[in-house]
């Protein structure tokens, strides 16, 4: 495990070192510590208008998409977990069916366009609002909750909505935290739908901006000659490394807060079918 972790962390440290280095660093060598330290690469990336707008768009999409997807998933999974729900097996099979078959790219594009969602954050949130896989995991978790807890709430006069918010959700934090992590990471890393539905460059998410900088170069996205220090040597590779770190670090910082719930939520949610 130590060796495996080292192979995972090693490229990350190399990119971090490259992002904090000047253009004088030999690109043919691997460094874990910057030979010549500088913040100029991050300053250039964080002051770029495309990176700033992309970061705001990605943050908006991640927060809005995660909140709506989590709410829709919980509200759909809770009724399906009840044995007395009419035609529960049919609706569960109907939802699982969508995991294997979809309408395809062109029908999805025409649907989003005809609904007037182009160049809107709703084009990135609504089409994938509910994941069938996450719904099944949440349903299985809710099925594992003892029915006696809900029966005690009904004896006290609580209806299904009160039971859901006051009994079920508080004891379901492991699966809720797990689903939140999955959804947040999925929205943060998504880029293809933005590439299709966003025709305005100011509406593109951060990952599309990063893709253009890393794959297409920095000439059209960055002005490498506009640094304050004329003696500072920069190159596109250090700018690319800084861009990668800007897109990675925010979502990595999200993991420690949900790590203690992650394993328990996945294991308990996968026990019952």
């Amino acid at each position: 495990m130590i060796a495996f972790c080292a192979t995972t962390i090693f490229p990350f440290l190399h990119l971090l070192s490259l992002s904090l280095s000047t253009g004088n660093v030999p690109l043919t060598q691997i460094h874990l510590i910057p030979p010549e330290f500088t913040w100029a690469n991050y300053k250039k990336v964080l002051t770029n208008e495309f990176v700033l707008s992309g970061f705001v768009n990605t943050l908006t999409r991640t927060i809005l998409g995660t909140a709506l997807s989590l709410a829709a998933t919980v509200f759909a999974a809770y009724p399906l977990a009840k044995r007395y729900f009419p035609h529960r097996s049919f609706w569960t099979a109907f939802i699982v069916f969508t995991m294997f078959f979809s309408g395809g790219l062109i029908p999805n594009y025409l649907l989003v366009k005809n609904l007037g969602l182009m160049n809107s954050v709703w084009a990135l949130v609504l089409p994938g609002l509910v994941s069938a896989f996450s719904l099944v995991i949440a349903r299985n978790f809710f099925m594992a909750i003892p029915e006696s807890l809900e029966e005690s709430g009904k004896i006290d006069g609580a209806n299904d909505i009160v039971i859901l918010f006051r009994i079920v959700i508080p004891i379901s934090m492991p699966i809720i935290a797990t689903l939140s992590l999955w959804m947040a990471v999925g929205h943060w890393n998504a880029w293809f739908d933005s590439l299709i539905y966003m025709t305005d460059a100011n509406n593109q998410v951060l990952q599309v901006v990063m893709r253009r900088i890393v794959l297409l170069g920095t000439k059209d996205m960055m002005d490498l000659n506009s640094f304050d220090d004329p003696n500072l040597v920069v190159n596109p590779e250090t700018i690319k490394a800084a861009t990668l770190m800007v897109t990675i670090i925010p979502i990595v910082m999200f993991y420690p807060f949900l790590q203690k719930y992650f394993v328990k939520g996945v294991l308990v949610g996968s026990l019952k079918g």
Side-chain angles (χ1 to χ4, degrees):
M1 289 299 298
I2 294 177
F4 176 76
C5 292
T7 58
T8 304
I9 297 175
F10 194 79
F12 181 85
L13 294 179
H14 170 64
L15 277 178
L16 179 61
S17 174
L18 189 62
S19 67
L20 294 171
S21 302
T22 64
N24 295 323
V25 60
L27 299 178
T28 57
Q29 300 179 6
I30 297 178
H31 302 279
L32 299 182
I33 299 177
E36 298 181 10
F37 182 85
T38 180
W39 291 104
N41 298 313
Y42 284 96
K43 181 180 179 181
K44 187 61 181 175
V45 170
L46 295 176
T47 55
N48 180 268
E49 59 175 337
F50 295 106
V51 174
L52 290 177
S53 62
F55 185 85
V56 173
N57 294 334
T58 299
L59 189 63
T60 303
R61 172 194 181 156
T62 301
I63 296 175
L64 183 63
T66 302
L68 293 180
S69 295
L70 184 62
T73 301
V74 171
F75 293 155
Y78 181 66
L80 290 174
K82 301 303 158 191
R83 302 185 186 278
Y84 54 82
F85 184 75
H87 310 293
R88 184 183 68 158
S89 300
F90 169 77
W91 292 115
T92 302
F94 184 79
I95 293 172
V96 173
F97 178 82
T98 63
M99 296 175 62
F100 305 98
F101 300 95
S102 64
L105 179 60
I106 295 178
N108 287 335
Y109 177 83
L110 294 177
L111 177 62
V112 171
K113 183 178 180 181
N114 292 333
L115 290 176
L117 301 179
M118 298 291 290
N119 282 308
S120 170
V121 68
W122 300 112
L124 310 178
V125 173
L126 293 182
L129 185 64
V130 178
S131 168
F133 179 78
S134 299
L135 184 68
V136 172
I137 293 294
R139 166 187 172 270
N140 294 343
F141 188 95
F142 291 148
M143 289 177 62
I145 297 177
E147 296 181 359
S148 58
L149 294 177
E150 300 183 30
E151 292 175 355
S152 62
K154 291 181 179 179
I155 293 175
D156 294 335
N159 56 28
D160 291 331
I161 301 298
V162 175
I163 291 175
L164 174 62
F165 282 96
R166 292 198 173 186
I167 298 178
V168 176
I169 290 181
I171 64 177
S172 301
M173 289 309 298
I175 192 62
I176 291 177
T178 301
L179 294 179
S180 300
L181 182 61
W182 285 350
M183 295 170 182
V185 172
H187 279 291
W188 184 270
N189 292 332
W191 62 273
F192 186 69
D193 52 356
S194 177
L195 190 64
I196 296 175
Y197 302 135
M198 300 297 175
T199 58
D200 188 352
N202 293 324
N203 294 331
Q204 296 288 4
V205 297
L206 183 60
Q207 283 65 31
V208 175
V209 178
M210 181 195 69
R211 178 178 179 270
R212 291 177 177 175
I213 294 176
V214 174
L215 297 183
L216 304 180
T218 60
K219 292 183 179 180
D220 57 338
M221 304 294 291
M222 296 281 185
D223 183 8
L224 299 182
N225 297 320
S226 61
F227 284 89
D228 297 333
D229 187 359
N231 298 321
L232 181 62
V233 179
V234 296
N235 60 54
E237 298 304 320
T238 57
I239 295 292
K240 292 177 182 180
T243 305
L244 288 171
M245 297 308 301
V246 167
T247 59
I248 293 173
I249 290 177
I251 197 64
V252 170
M253 295 175 61
F254 189 62
Y255 275 89
F257 298 100
L258 301 177
Q259 183 179 6
K260 62 180 180 179
Y261 300 107
F262 187 76
V263 176
K264 182 180 179 181
V266 173
L267 291 179
V268 177
S270 62
L271 291 179
K272 286 191 176 182

